[in-house]
Amino acid sequence: GGDDAIAQMIEATLYNPKSWTADGKVKFQRVDGDASPKFRISLATPETVREACGFDIELETSCYNPDTERVYLNLARWVRGATSFEGDIGLYRQYQINHEVGHAIGYQRHEQCAEDGELAPVMMQQTLSLNNKQLHDRNPKEVYPDEDVTCAPNPWPYPNPDNKDPHQPE
């Protein structure tokens, strides 16, 4: 669909009531040209993403690089999606946008699956797996416990209408 279609998808995702603006703490505004935004979003080749964000993860992922103030959405993932989303490319793209923008607005840490079968936190590395043990085995230094708990895919920071902040401990 070209640049306009990608921009429309990003805007529709970020302006969705289930996205980061739900609690009123965050507001997004698209700027063009020579403006100085807090961060930019780019759809980039896997090679560009790896050059910008490193080679630590063997699989293709997207990332946020604070040095360049840029969210890099991995083009290969944009086209193919991830196994966790069972072929639903639209939902995966919404996740891809919300997860990486989450890093850009201050949610640096990843989150684990709290309970078998519940919706995954958007800051869980759902591109790689929905299972804590699998994510732990991939990187034991991350937040994921060595327990066989699997969440359901979820592209939204605020998937529930009560808008309770799921990113803050109770």
Side-chain angles (χ1 to χ4, degrees), residues 44-55 60-61 72 74-76:
T45 66
E47 296 80 20
T48 299
V49 175
R50 290 175 86 60
E51 288 171 9
C53 297
F55 295 84
E60 293 169 339
T61 60
Y72 294 91
N74 190 303
L75 175 62

Side-chain angles (χ1 to χ4, degrees), residues 78-137:
W78 187 265
V79 171
R80 283 195 327 263
T83 304
S84 300
F85 283 80
E86 300 173 347
D88 192 327
I89 297 295
L91 282 181
Y92 178 75
R93 289 175 180 172
Q94 290 168 327
Y95 160 76
Q96 191 180 24
I97 294 163
N98 278 317
H99 180 91
E100 298 309 334
V101 167
H103 288 309
I105 62 172
Y107 293 97
Q108 283 89 25
R109 291 183 47 96
H110 289 123
E111 296 178 26
Q112 65 182 321
C113 177
E115 190 174 319
D116 229 11
E118 77 174 21
L119 291 177
V122 76
M123 296 311 295
M124 184 177 191
Q125 291 178 298
Q126 297 178 55
T127 294
L128 304 178
S129 180
L130 293 167
N131 179 274
N132 285 341
K133 180 166 181 35
Q134 289 176 2
L135 291 168
H136 174 271
D137 290 349

Side-chain angles (χ1 to χ4, degrees), residues 35-84:
S36 297
K38 296 201 186 273
F39 64 90
R40 295 183 186 276
I41 301 174
S42 298
L43 186 61
T45 66
E47 296 80 20
T48 299
V49 175
R50 290 175 86 60
E51 288 171 9
C53 297
F55 295 84
D56 294 342
I57 298 176
E58 296 170 17
L59 299 175
E60 293 169 339
T61 60
S62 298
C63 68
Y64 169 67
N65 183 326
D67 296 332
T68 61
E69 297 176 327
R70 187 172 298 269
V71 166
Y72 294 91
L73 301 176
N74 190 303
L75 175 62
R77 290 289 183 184
W78 187 265
V79 171
R80 283 195 327 263
T83 304
S84 300

